[in-house]
């Protein structure tokens, strides 16, 4: 699958026809300011055309600066940002989109994601609140401020109710995916419904890279474990979002178009013993807990 992809400018097609470059550059935990600005420019210099940020990363403004500094035209770059858990509801969502656009210094974003679902343990009206947030997404989509809409960290129990009420269906679900934590049931459910799945922490935030069994598989292809992780996602029809702050590693992580992982090794990688799981399960509402602790 996805073997039609031969370069960083090749694309997956979203349900509304929007083209999305097949590997995104991740920016979580990249410090705001010069570091994010320079890393984003390094990624664009290396040929990436898709940047993933979030309001909660606190670096949207520096992402925008890096893009402008690169000299690559805005319309040639796909920019994703995410709605934060403190901004749920229709009116707050409209304001959140406007705030993110202002931070980015842009008049539209390519993809906007609900970062984490509201869950029952937080509020009995969780379904209604998720639907209201989504209504704000739809409004900004219809106003041309967002080219494509999606969710992140949604399991079937969160996606199904949204699907019933949404007039514009989510086109993307961004989920944790890497050898050692693949959530294949959820991924296949999303793919069957026509959503593009994106892989967050495709390298397990670095935690899988020194595993000896993964190193042995990578050695067979004369590739690094990071390259195997990125390629694995692509071969599963999943769009990976690797992050690095090092120019050589940023470039190397995208050198994944000159080899194919065998079906047998794909199966091994997808059924690898648990390794590198972030521990963030949506039903535990980890993002809300974080937001609450920061507000204290
Ligand atoms: N939707 C969500 O809830 C959610 C959650 C988490 C992440 N995300 C997105 O997914 C992106 C990726 O996830 P992630 O940031 O957790 O990390 P990741 O891409 O899985 O791994 C990044 C880590 O691996 C290291 N690394 C990268 N390439 C390497 C290489 N070739 N060799 C050795 N080490 C390497 C990096 O260190 P160096 O920087 O030193 O290279 C960094 O420590 C995020 O940046 C964010 O955009 C989304």
């Amino acid at each position: 699958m996805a073997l039609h992809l031969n370069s960083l400018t090749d694309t997956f097609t979203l349900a509304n026809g929007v083209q999305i470059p097949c590997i995104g550059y991740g920016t979580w935990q990249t410090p705001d300011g010069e570091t994010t600005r320079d890393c984003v420019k390094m990624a664009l210099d290396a040929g990436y055309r898709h940047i993933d940020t979030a309001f909660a990363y606190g670096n949207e403004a520096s992402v925008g600066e890096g893009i402008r500094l690169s000299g690559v035209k805005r319309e040639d770059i796909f920019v994703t940002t995410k709605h934060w858990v403190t901004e749920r509801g229709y009116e707050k969502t409209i304001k959140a989109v406007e705030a993110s656009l202002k931070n980015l210094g842009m008049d539209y974003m390519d993809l906007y994601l609900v970062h984490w679902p509201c869950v029952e343990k937080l509020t009995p009206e969780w379904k209604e609140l998720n639907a209201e947030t989504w209504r704000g997404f739809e409004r900004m989509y219809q106003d041309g401020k967002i080219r494509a809409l999606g969710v992140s960290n949604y399991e079937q129990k969160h996606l199904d109710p949204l699907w019933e009420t949404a007039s514009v269906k989510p086109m993307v679900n961004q989920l944790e995916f890497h050898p050692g934590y693949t959530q294949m049931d959820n991924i296949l459910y999303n793919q069957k419904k026509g959503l593009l799945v994106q892989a967050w922490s495709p390298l397990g935030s670095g935690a899988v890279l020194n595993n000896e069994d993964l190193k042995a598989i990578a050695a067979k292809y004369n590739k690094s474990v990071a390259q195997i992780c990125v390629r694995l996602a692509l071969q599963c029809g999943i769009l990976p979002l690797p992050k690095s702050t090092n120019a050589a590693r940023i470039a190397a992580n995208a050198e994944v178009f000159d080899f194919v992982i065998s079906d047998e090794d794909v199966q091994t990688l997808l059924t690898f013993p648990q390794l590198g799981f972030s521990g963030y399960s949506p039903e535990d509402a980890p993002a809300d807990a974080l937001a609450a602790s920061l507000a204290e």
Side-chain angles (χ1 to χ4, degrees):
M1 211 175 159
L3 298 179
H4 66 289
L5 302 169
N6 294 306
S7 81
L8 279 168
T9 49
D10 284 346
T11 56
F12 289 101
T13 304
L14 299 180
N16 66 346
V18 164
Q19 304 287 311
I20 178 167
C22 63
I23 298 179
Y25 174 67
T27 63
W28 179 41
Q29 293 177 320
T30 306
D32 189 33
E34 274 175 32
T35 309
T36 292
R37 183 197 67 196
D38 294 349
C39 285
V40 166
K41 182 177 180 301
M42 282 193 275
L44 294 167
D45 289 349
Y48 290 72
R49 288 295 177 268
H50 171 176
I51 311 290
D52 183 86
T53 182
F55 179 81
Y57 301 169
N59 59 14
E60 288 174 316
S62 312
V63 165
E65 275 177 45
I67 288 173
R68 285 184 291 281
L69 191 65
S70 75
V72 181
K73 285 195 227 137
R74 168 69 187 95
E75 60 269 30
D76 292 337
I77 304 175
F78 192 99
V79 180
T80 301
T81 192
K82 309 183 193 85
H83 171 275
W84 190 228
V85 298
T86 51
E87 308 307 311
R88 294 187 179 118
Y90 178 76
E91 297 295 343
K92 281 172 105 177
T93 294
I94 306 276
K95 290 199 176 88
V97 173
E98 284 163 353
S100 282
L101 285 173
K102 194 167 171 216
N103 287 341
L104 288 161
M106 294 174 185
D107 51 14
Y108 69 92
M109 51 183 80
D110 294 282
L111 175 64
Y112 196 48
L113 303 177
V114 179
H115 207 147
W116 290 87
C118 184
V119 296
E120 194 169 7
K121 101 176 206 191
L122 291 175
T123 166
E125 293 83 32
W126 63 282
K127 287 185 194 170
E128 291 75 13
L129 191 49
N130 286 333
E132 275 302 284
T133 300
W134 193 255
R135 215 161 57 75
F137 272 56
E138 290 172 333
R139 165 74 196 282
M140 297 312 256
Y141 177 72
Q142 274 137 12
D143 285 358
K145 303 282 186 195
I146 311 174
R147 295 178 64 226
L149 303 182
V151 295
S152 178
N153 301 302
Y154 269 51
E155 295 173 344
Q156 185 180 346
K157 69 177 74 146
H158 315 117
L159 192 61
D160 283 352
L162 183 63
W163 206 263
E164 276 175 33
T165 56
S167 49
V168 181
K169 309 291 185 211
M171 297 148 200
V172 166
N173 195 353
Q174 189 177 116
L175 299 168
E176 181 172 359
F177 171 88
H178 50 76
Y181 191 74
T182 56
Q183 345 186 29
M184 279 320 282
D185 287 352
N186 194 17
I187 283 171
L188 293 173
Y189 184 73
N190 278 270
Q191 291 182 332
K192 220 167 122 193
K193 286 181 94 71
L195 285 92
L196 175 72
V197 175
Q198 299 184 333
W200 65 255
S201 296
L203 318 178
S205 281
V208 307
L209 300 179
N210 288 319
N211 178 276
E212 293 302 328
D213 294 327
L214 290 177
K215 281 187 185 170
I217 293 176
K220 286 202 319 199
Y221 298 90
N222 208 13
K223 288 285 172 182
S224 69
V225 174
Q227 289 163 332
I228 290 289
C229 292
V230 172
R231 178 77 202 180
L232 172 70
L234 292 178
Q235 284 188 220
C236 295
I238 298 170
L239 189 155
L241 302 165
K243 173 251 174 183
S244 174
T245 47
N246 171 283
R249 292 196 283 275
I250 290 172
N253 289 347
E255 287 165 10
V256 295
F257 299 106
D258 56 355
F259 74 111
V260 177
I261 307 173
S262 71
D263 290 346
E264 193 188 345
D265 285 337
V266 166
Q267 279 320 308
T268 304
L269 292 163
L270 292 180
T271 53
F272 211 74
Q274 194 177 94
L275 177 73
F277 172 44
S278 65
Y280 300 147
S281 168
E283 280 294 299
D284 296 338
D288 288 85
L290 172 70
S293 72
L294 291 175
E296 271 169 12

